[in-house]
Amino acid sequence: MKRLQVLMSVESTAPVEKEEQLGKKIVLSKPKSQRQKTLVQKILVNGFLALICIIWTLPTLGVLVTSFRDRDEVVTSGWWTSFSDPGAFTLRNYEQVLAGQDYSYTRADGTVVSSRGDNMLNSFLNSITVTVPAVIIPILIAAFAAYGFAWLDFPGRKILFATIVGLLVVPLQIALIPILRDYMAIGLNGSYLGIWLAHTGFGLALATYLLFNYISTIPRSIMESAFLDGASHFTTFTRLILPLSVPALASFAIFQFIWVWNDLLVALVFLSGAGEQVEVITQRLLNIVGTRGQDWHLLTAGAFVSMALPLVVFFALQRFFVRGLMAGSVKG
Amino acid sequence: MTDFNMSDKSDSPVQRILSWVARLVVSFAVPLLVFVVLYFGFLFLRDSNAPQIVITISAIIWGVGGAAALYWVTNWVIQRTNGIWRKRLTPFMFVGPAIAILGWYLMLPTLRSFYLSFFDRVSENFVGLDNYIYVFTDPTMQTAFVNNLLWLVVGTGGSVLLGLIIALLADRSGFEKVAKAFIFAPMAISFVGAGVIWKFIYAYQPPGYEQIGLLNAIVTSFGGDPQNWIVMRPWNNIFLIFILIWLQTGFAMVVLSAAIKTVPNELLEAGRIDGAGEIRIITSIIVPSIKGSIVTVSTTILLITLKIFDIVYSMTNGLYGTEVLASQQYKQMFKFLHYGRGSAIAIIILLAVTPVIWYNLKQFGKREVF
């Protein structure tokens, strides 16, 4: 009621069009000058936002378009000129970058140079080998721990959890040298297990914290019935709590997937020296950047090969990813 | 579940001891067997020359299955014990592995890095504060400090401010969902991938040649001279920082957008009724209401920026005065193999995040439900 009175008293220029019943929405028509102003505002807002979207998308679009262009054209003309001749687009760059096919081109002085492409397929598979367990293992360990902290009573429970909270933002740089020394001592360097464990160690604090926040809110009554049936904690956890926590698990899984797939530092430290055999895709791409920085046709195709999977995952599961990001805003 | 009531009272003591020993042997044999299987799996993966696809599949099965098997075996062993022990051991199974890994990978390394930072290149001789003196006096390191500060201020400030502006615009526009997806998409791209994308934008050809980099093409079309952006000191840092802004703005936008939607409509309407313009409403009502989210987002992006390494490493490798702390840390550790200096820089990065650690712990201490 109060608001209605306020509305009536303030907007003297605005005639009340309709007032059917009290409590229903009141429609006010605005005077002409204001209407124009809002139209201008609308155009400004939408126009400016569209401009930002274009600026944000152009860089990626340029790389995408270039990856389908012929090598000779890439180095002699800007990608924005290629739309005049859509027939010239080719998949050759991808063949070269994935399967290491040879390619040849003519230099300015007329000599024909032949050069090898790159074998990214191997590193793509390596990235999958590194990423899948590096996502699942920390989630498994963190879910167990979250259940333990939420529903079991043991000495040191609070101080241990406080430790996890403290470790949330500890930068992983602090661990690189000591862990590298350990790995060299026990032969884990350059092995899949080594890098899985490293990613587990660096992602575990956040995973445990997030999953604890979720699992501790599951009503106790749900579990009581399981205990009455004589189920152990292990059974209750695996049969009841894990399925119930799927949304939280998925959120963190996507977050961790993109994190691990895109990681370069951990891979460089713990997989270097083991040769091309265990190189992940970010390392491979970095090598192409380093050794053939001017081969734009390969670089752009390579960049897209490395981005394809996270982008697909991202667009397919954006909702979960956003939830994971929001919940775990502060990652160390 | 337990076997303890299985043996009859009528059993002779010898039989009872025998069955107890048998159970004990089985309890050790099963975990041992699992360990042996896993260990051979490890050896196979390390030394195998099988095609990559075979390695990939078997590694994933071995890794994920192995982790699950270890839990299952631990549980199996615990179920073999009786009441009081089971009660004592169960929490260990649930919480133990996480604490052990966090201890090995984060807690102990903090102390070990601190210790190593007082030793020389190969961690053998005590050198006191030498590494720290080097870190604060070496010209390259001083450049890294200044650059890192620039990254923190411009990178974080730019991302948060742009994220806020876009969130506000999107809230009032006709294509909010689409716009957000476009701005947010770079989040899924690796720093290295982003490096390639922007290297291409900044690509430089000498004057007179056709410019294939977008930025130089724009500059030359307006009659300017093409610039080699990446080697232009000190502006090249800003061009690198823009890559971070491009990557992080989407994150800031998503979080702030969610916060803006929780501002009560009554407040906004009251403001409009009082004749406040849109700008005034944003500065006086919306921004104060979402202060908490702004702080959280800023902190998160600050933490990411502080450890930024990939962008500098893939764009310039720290040349042309673009070094930052994390790239220097990596170089000291891996290129110069100087563990003392590498550790000292890591400790400085840790000190920089200490306020956040302290704040998190304080917030946790306030939590009543635990």
Side-chain angles (χ1 to χ4, degrees):
Chain A
M1 268 323 284
K2 231 182 184 164
R3 247 178 56 203
L4 195 138
Q5 283 165 358
V6 171
L7 282 174
M8 303 286 283
S9 61
V10 173
E11 298 268 347
S12 52
T13 47
V16 178
E17 265 197 355
K18 255 199 308 201
E19 190 183 341
E20 291 172 353
Q21 283 171 2
L22 280 183
K24 273 219 168 174
K25 212 173 173 183
I26 296 167
V27 182
L28 301 168
S29 73
K30 292 180 177 165
K32 207 168 180 181
S33 66
Q34 257 194 323
R35 250 212 314 269
Q36 273 171 337
K37 192 177 146 195
T38 53
L39 185 69
V40 169
Q41 265 186 357
K42 263 214 168 84
I43 290 171
L44 272 178
V45 164
N46 284 314
F48 193 56
L49 188 64
L51 181 71
I52 296 178
C53 284
I54 289 168
I55 293 173
W56 243 245
T57 317
L58 265 184
T60 320
L61 185 73
V63 166
L64 181 65
V65 170
T66 305
S67 70
F68 291 111
R69 294 182 77 206
D70 192 72
R71 185 202 168 272
D72 297 332
E73 284 174 0
V74 170
V75 291
T76 53
S77 62
W79 60 269
W80 49 92
T81 62
S82 65
F83 298 107
S84 56
D85 183 16
F89 287 125
T90 163
L91 285 172
R92 214 171 309 139
N93 302 335
Y94 284 93
E95 285 166 12
Q96 283 164 11
V97 99
L98 283 171
Q101 229 183 49
D102 289 10
Y103 63 94
S104 55
Y105 55 93
T106 316
R107 276 219 194 118
D109 56 7
T111 49
V112 175
V113 183
S114 179
S115 185
R116 270 195 77 71
D118 206 280
N119 185 359
M120 274 188 108
L121 195 60
N122 195 43
S123 55
F124 188 88
L125 287 173
N126 255 322
S127 269
I128 290 180
T129 319
V130 167
T131 307
V132 174
V135 169
I136 297 177
I137 294 172
I139 289 184
L140 184 73
I141 295 175
F144 266 98
Y147 179 92
F149 280 115
W151 302 114
L152 298 175
D153 206 16
F154 53 93
R157 176 170 158 271
K158 189 159 183 171
I159 190 89
L160 282 176
F161 197 79
T163 310
I164 289 177
V165 172
L167 291 175
L168 275 179
V169 297
V170 168
L172 59 88
Q173 270 89 356
I174 204 84
L176 297 177
I177 291 173
I179 300 297
L180 186 63
R181 291 171 56 139
D182 290 351
Y183 276 15
M184 285 177 172
I186 55 178
L188 270 180
N189 210 15
S191 71
Y192 290 128
L193 182 61
I195 195 156
W196 293 339
L197 283 172
H199 277 303
T200 301
F202 303 140
L204 199 56
L206 183 72
T208 309
Y209 182 74
L210 293 185
L211 294 179
F212 171 82
N213 284 345
Y214 188 89
I215 288 175
S216 60
T217 57
I218 294 175
R220 200 176 174 96
S221 53
I222 291 182
M223 287 184 298
E224 295 296 353
S225 56
F227 292 139
L228 283 176
D229 291 345
S232 67
H233 274 293
F234 187 82
T235 315
T236 311
F237 170 75
T238 49
R239 296 281 165 82
L240 198 65
I241 300 301
L242 270 188
L244 278 175
S245 314
V246 163
L249 300 177
S251 293
F252 182 78
I254 292 166
F255 180 77
Q256 178 80 353
F257 173 85
I258 289 182
W259 179 269
V260 174
W261 184 273
N262 288 339
D263 156 79
L264 174 68
L265 182 56
V266 178
L268 279 179
V269 173
F270 297 122
L271 289 181
S272 281
E276 262 183 50
Q277 205 56 46
V278 289
E279 244 178 8
V280 292
I281 203 145
T282 42
Q283 283 174 287
R284 194 70 237 134
L285 186 61
L286 188 74
N287 275 342
I288 303 176
V289 172
T291 54
R292 33 204 344 166
Q294 291 310 308
D295 292 349
W296 286 112
H297 64 298
L298 288 186
L299 268 178
T300 51
F304 249 85
V305 170
S306 79
M307 292 186 307
L309 195 60
L311 278 173
V312 167
V313 167
F314 171 82
F315 278 116
L317 304 162
Q318 206 177 351
R319 264 205 353 266
F320 286 112
F321 180 58
V322 170
R323 227 180 281 160
L325 266 183
M326 303 273 275
S329 265
V330 182
K331 158 129 184 159
Chain B
M1 294 294 279
T2 54
D3 301 7
F4 278 86
N5 307 327
M6 300 245 309
S7 52
D8 265 352
K9 290 261 185 342
S10 59
D11 278 354
S12 70
V14 176
Q15 270 178 312
R16 228 182 301 173
I17 287 170
L18 271 178
S19 69
W20 195 84
V21 168
R23 271 203 296 272
L24 201 70
V25 168
V26 169
S27 298
F28 280 103
V30 171
L32 198 69
L33 190 73
V34 172
F35 277 121
V36 167
V37 169
L38 287 181
Y39 181 70
F40 276 103
F42 174 74
L43 290 185
F44 162 76
L45 283 173
R46 199 185 54 184
D47 308 327
S48 155
N49 288 323
Q52 184 61 42
I53 187 82
V54 174
I55 298 219
T56 294
I57 291 168
S58 44
I60 289 174
I61 292 171
W62 175 77
V64 175
L70 288 176
Y71 275 106
W72 183 84
V73 163
T74 315
N75 181 57
W76 187 86
V77 171
I78 288 176
Q79 295 304 343
R80 296 268 155 300
T81 58
N82 62 2
I84 181 73
W85 275 104
R86 192 185 301 181
K87 216 175 159 53
R88 274 184 206 160
L89 287 175
T90 302
F92 271 101
M93 172 181 71
F94 276 97
V95 178
I99 295 296
I101 288 182
L102 280 172
W104 180 23
Y105 280 88
L106 282 180
M107 282 171 66
L108 282 177
T110 307
L111 303 173
R112 291 168 65 188
S113 286
F114 186 66
Y115 174 84
L116 290 176
S117 69
F118 296 104
F119 283 76
D120 64 354
R121 171 188 297 276
V122 286
S123 316
E124 274 172 10
N125 304 304
F126 181 78
V127 294
L129 287 172
D130 277 9
N131 293 319
Y132 289 96
I133 291 166
Y134 165 86
V135 163
F136 285 110
T137 54
D138 179 69
T140 315
M141 277 305 298
Q142 286 174 341
T143 311
F145 273 110
V146 173
N147 286 344
N148 232 130
L149 204 62
L150 195 69
W151 276 86
L152 290 173
V153 174
V154 178
T156 310
S159 306
V160 175
L161 195 67
L162 261 172
L164 180 63
I165 291 170
I166 294 167
L168 288 164
L169 286 175
D171 202 32
R172 291 159 174 69
S173 78
F175 53 105
E176 181 174 4
K177 270 216 157 84
V178 179
K180 277 180 163 178
F182 272 119
I183 310 282
F184 194 41
M187 268 291 348
I189 294 172
S190 68
F191 286 128
V192 188
V196 172
I197 290 174
W198 284 89
K199 240 189 167 136
F200 196 48
I201 294 274
Y202 297 144
Y204 164 79
Q205 302 266 47
Y209 285 86
E210 187 79 29
Q211 293 299 330
I212 59 169
L214 186 60
L215 194 55
N216 273 324
I218 292 170
V219 167
T220 49
S221 73
F222 282 111
D225 284 332
Q227 302 292 336
N228 198 346
W229 310 104
I230 292 182
V231 298
M232 260 172 83
R233 294 177 204 222
W235 301 107
N236 52 3
N237 282 302
I238 302 289
F239 292 118
L240 296 189
I241 291 171
F242 193 78
I243 303 174
L244 176 86
I245 295 178
W246 181 72
L247 286 163
Q248 295 296 326
T249 295
F251 165 67
M253 171 202 73
V254 164
V255 178
L256 296 177
S257 184
I260 286 171
K261 297 212 184 311
T262 62
V263 177
N265 255 329
E266 285 79 7
L267 270 181
L268 301 178
E269 268 175 34
R272 289 197 180 104
I273 287 160
D274 289 344
E278 230 18 58
I279 303 288
R280 184 72 207 282
I281 284 180
I282 287 166
T283 52
S284 314
I285 298 177
I286 295 180
V287 172
S289 312
I290 61 169
K291 210 183 250 159
S293 299
I294 292 178
V295 171
T296 308
V297 168
S298 307
T299 311
T300 306
I301 299 180
L302 273 175
L303 288 171
I304 292 170
T305 311
L306 186 69
K307 296 172 305 182
I308 208 86
F309 152 83
D310 326 35
I311 293 182
V312 171
Y313 193 71
S314 68
M315 291 290 284
T316 61
N317 200 355
L319 301 171
Y320 323 117
T322 56
E323 206 70 84
V324 288
L325 287 185
S327 59
Q328 262 293 306
Q329 200 262 342
Y330 179 82
K331 267 191 189 166
Q332 290 292 356
M333 172 175 74
F334 247 64
K335 204 176 158 188
F336 311 132
L337 298 175
H338 199 306
Y339 283 179
R341 285 173 186 173
S343 300
I345 300 171
I347 290 293
I348 284 165
I349 297 176
L350 177 69
L351 286 177
V353 305
T354 312
V356 182
I357 298 174
W358 180 77
Y359 174 82
N360 279 350
L361 284 172
K362 219 175 77 173
Q363 290 302 97
F364 174 71
K366 281 186 194 158
R367 250 169 103 156
E368 285 174 20
V369 190
F370 187 79

